[in-house]
Amino acid sequence: MNRSGRTLPVAAVAGAAVVAMAVLSGWCDAGATSAFVRKVEKTVDMPLDSDVFRVPCGYNAPQQVHITQGDHDGKAMIVSWVTLDEPGSNLVLYGTSENNLKFLAKGKVHRYRYYNYTSGYIHHSTLRHLEYDTKYYYVLGVGQTPRKFWFRTPPKVGPDVPFTFGLIGDLGQSYDSNITLSHYELNPSKGQAVLYVGDLSYADNYPNHDNVRWDTWGRFLERSTAYQPWIWTAGNHELDFAPEIGETEPFKPFKNRYHVPFKASGSTSPFWYSVKIGSAYIIVLASYSAYGKYTPQYKWLEAELPKVNRSETPWLIVLVHSPWYNSYNYHYMEGETMRVIFEPWLVKYKVDVVFSGHVHAYERSERISNIAYNIVNVKCMPVPDPSAPVYITIGDGGNLEGLAANMTEPQPDYSAYREASFGHAIFNIKNRTHAYYAWHRNQDGFAVESDSMWFFNRFWHPVEESSDST
């Protein structure tokens, strides 16, 4: 039992004593490597008969339910689910009264094959013309085994609209993954939507990329994804490119299961797109799709950044899987070519923060850029830059590959705080000038902040920020 009286399935969130530690702020000081020492244990996937993977009762009951924003501005929601026995109904009944679901949306259903696996019947339906900041109830499984869920739409887009995002990455489906998700759910500051920075099920770590582990992951996440939108970023574990077993279509399971509103932002691919939520403009980039000059992703981002109206959406947030700045000896410099190409644009347009995953640990940078280098001037080191984003790596969801605990030494000046622990983060936008950010390690109480800082908006309030860590 946790302190709220709720029993956590499979694994309970462990409490731990708070290890106090001041973060040295300011560029002239060295960064901080946490003194917290996590007990090193093997990260193990939960078995297939775990309670968090259970199939809902009833014939052909909808399962693996998840939602994401269905348009650019927040007045639509994509609802996705799977039925196993037969296609069943592709209708969604929904409305603002639990007992009067007066609206109806019709979806599409399809299946896919991957090696020796055939998926269930995957449904996607977009609920349109929704009211802002309104609670909607919706029912799936009409005519067979109905299941009812609910969500709240985001507030109307505007410069001083408060909104809270949860941040999770590289989750997987281990016992630690379950602790991370439970810790997020029970956080008193839990987000209204989740920004997910890639690497979902880790099914590709199983023989023949066992897609049954895509099904278990969908059922595991349903307790959150059916009730609040998750904004998806594709990672390397979504590639599922396996020519040795005849699978040569990259991202096949991910593309079939997780739909996003990419066309609403003029994108030609579901791997890079944008959405507006409250006072934030979210840009999702693809580390594992072509991004060189003249490629579709390059041309899209080049056209997209000038469209951002900071008087309407002051907060400009970028999601990308592979980090551009990383002081761990894991995936070191894998994001470098993308950084070289896109970083000048992010500085020019004063992006507030870049969230990434990939490295299975936590790190937060100072505001720095490395854009001055021109081959002959030897200026090839990151330097303080008030127009640059803060880079935060949050690939610490808890997947079976375990923690990235080997750090480069000495800690680079650009690294403000780092720690090899599992956890999640919260980004709480207050108004056009201020947002509060906090990272929560799994070993602590639900409200304990292991790293935190006030963000000052780069467009409206571009002054030096403070940070604090406990």
Side-chain angles (χ1 to χ4, degrees):
M1 300 280 285
N2 61 49
R3 66 182 181 181
S4 69
R6 174 180 172 183
T7 301
L8 302 183
V10 178
V13 177
V18 176
V19 181
M21 176 181 176
V23 158
L24 303 173
S25 61
W27 180 254
C28 58
D29 295 324
T33 297
S34 172
F36 179 84
V37 179
R38 180 188 188 275
K39 184 179 179 181
V40 178
E41 298 172 322
K42 185 177 180 181
T43 307
V44 179
D45 267 0
M46 295 177 283
L48 293 175
D49 61 356
S50 297
D51 54 355
V52 294
F53 297 153
R54 62 183 176 268
V55 176
C57 297
Y59 176 73
N60 210 37
Q63 59 169 270
Q64 305 174 51
V65 180
H66 55 273
I67 62 174
T68 193
Q69 187 159 305
D71 65 356
H72 203 237
D73 300 319
K75 296 199 72 176
M77 199 72 72
I78 298 172
V79 180
S80 304
W81 71 99
V82 176
T83 52
L84 292 186
D85 303 303
E86 59 171 288
S89 173
N90 62 356
L91 300 179
V92 182
L93 301 180
Y94 65 103
T96 56
S97 170
E98 188 172 7
N99 299 313
N100 183 20
L101 305 178
K102 60 182 181 179
F103 304 115
L104 181 151
K106 188 174 182 180
K108 295 182 179 180
V109 59
H110 67 278
R111 307 177 85 179
Y112 74 92
R113 286 189 59 83
Y114 190 95
Y115 188 54
N116 60 356
Y117 167 91
T118 301
S119 75
Y121 300 90
I122 302 172
H123 302 252
H124 301 285
S125 180
T126 302
L127 317 187
R128 303 185 187 278
H129 309 298
L130 304 176
E131 298 297 323
Y132 288 117
D133 198 17
T134 300
K135 187 174 184 178
Y136 282 88
Y137 300 88
Y138 66 102
V139 168
L140 312 174
V142 176
Q144 291 181 331
T145 301
R147 296 184 68 200
K148 184 181 289 186
F149 305 91
W150 59 266
F151 62 82
R152 179 172 290 277
T153 53
K156 185 177 181 180
V157 172
D160 290 302
V161 176
F163 197 86
T164 304
F165 293 102
L167 286 141
I168 302 175
D170 299 69
L171 189 60
Q173 46 195 297
S174 73
Y175 290 96
D176 287 293
S177 311
N178 188 49
I179 295 172
T180 298
L181 185 59
S182 299
H183 210 216
Y184 167 68
E185 292 176 298
L186 294 167
N187 189 329
S189 303
K190 182 177 76 170
Q192 298 159 264
V194 170
L195 304 179
Y196 193 83
V197 293
D199 282 0
L200 283 66
S201 72
Y202 285 79
D204 63 337
N205 277 6
Y206 285 82
N208 301 319
H209 296 227
D210 186 0
N211 274 223
V212 168
R213 281 293 179 171
W214 276 103
D215 293 321
T216 54
W217 197 78
R219 293 196 290 270
F220 164 49
L221 265 291
E222 186 185 86
R223 71 200 206 213
S224 177
T225 57
Y227 297 95
Q228 62 175 206
W230 285 43
I231 307 302
W232 302 107
T233 308
N236 56 298
H237 284 278
E238 282 67 76
L239 274 164
D240 282 300
F241 178 74
E244 68 276 10
I245 57 174
E247 291 297 340
T248 57
E249 179 189 341
F251 301 103
K252 184 195 284 187
F254 177 77
K255 282 193 300 184
N256 278 278
R257 293 171 182 269
Y258 292 90
H259 281 193
V260 297
F262 66 96
K263 293 180 181 178
S265 57
S267 171
T268 56
S269 167
F271 308 126
W272 59 87
Y273 63 99
S274 69
V275 291
K276 293 189 284 188
I277 304 177
S279 54
Y281 203 103
I282 314 296
I283 290 178
V284 177
L285 298 179
S287 296
Y288 305 98
S289 299
Y291 47 75
K293 198 167 186 179
Y294 308 126
T295 61
Q297 183 172 194
Y298 178 101
K299 292 175 70 67
W300 176 81
L301 185 60
E302 183 180 35
E304 180 72 5
L305 284 166
K307 295 178 184 176
V308 181
N309 180 358
R310 303 296 281 272
S311 295
E312 178 192 49
T313 49
W315 294 94
L316 183 50
I317 299 170
V318 170
L319 310 181
V320 64
H321 183 64
S322 186
W324 296 358
Y325 290 94
N326 166 31
S327 70
Y328 287 81
N329 291 317
Y330 299 86
H331 305 303
Y332 184 63
M333 293 189 77
E334 285 184 19
E336 181 66 4
T337 54
M338 189 182 227
R339 180 198 67 77
V340 169
I341 294 170
F342 287 158
E343 185 183 22
W345 291 351
L346 271 57
V347 173
K348 176 181 177 180
Y349 291 100
K350 300 183 186 298
V351 169
D352 292 289
V353 59
V354 175
F355 293 107
S356 62
H358 202 37
V359 177
H360 299 167
Y362 174 73
E363 185 166 23
R364 172 174 55 84
S365 80
E366 304 286 358
R367 287 201 183 276
I368 42 88
S369 71
N370 191 5
I371 60 176
Y373 183 49
N374 64 8
I375 297 180
V376 297
N377 63 10
V378 199
K379 295 181 179 180
C380 55
M381 295 294 290
V383 297
D385 190 336
S387 295
V390 170
Y391 292 89
I392 295 177
T393 299
I394 188 128
D396 55 356
N399 67 79
L400 81 168
E401 292 182 347
L403 279 169
N406 190 337
M407 306 173 188
T408 60
E409 297 294 348
Q411 183 174 4
D413 287 341
Y414 65 74
S415 175
Y417 183 80
R418 60 186 184 176
E419 180 176 321
S421 290
F422 294 136
H424 71 277
I426 301 293
F427 192 77
N428 187 347
I429 295 173
K430 305 294 185 180
N431 51 40
R432 76 182 66 190
T433 58
H434 289 71
Y436 186 72
Y437 167 81
W439 175 67
H440 302 260
R441 75 163 77 92
N442 285 355
Q443 284 79 8
D444 292 331
F446 305 122
V448 175
E449 299 172 351
S450 302
D451 180 41
S452 63
M453 71 173 285
W454 278 99
F455 273 77
F456 299 154
N457 186 269
R458 293 301 89 192
F459 184 85
W460 288 99
H461 193 54
V463 299
E464 183 181 351
E465 293 146 318
S466 64
S467 64
D468 188 23
S469 184
T470 347

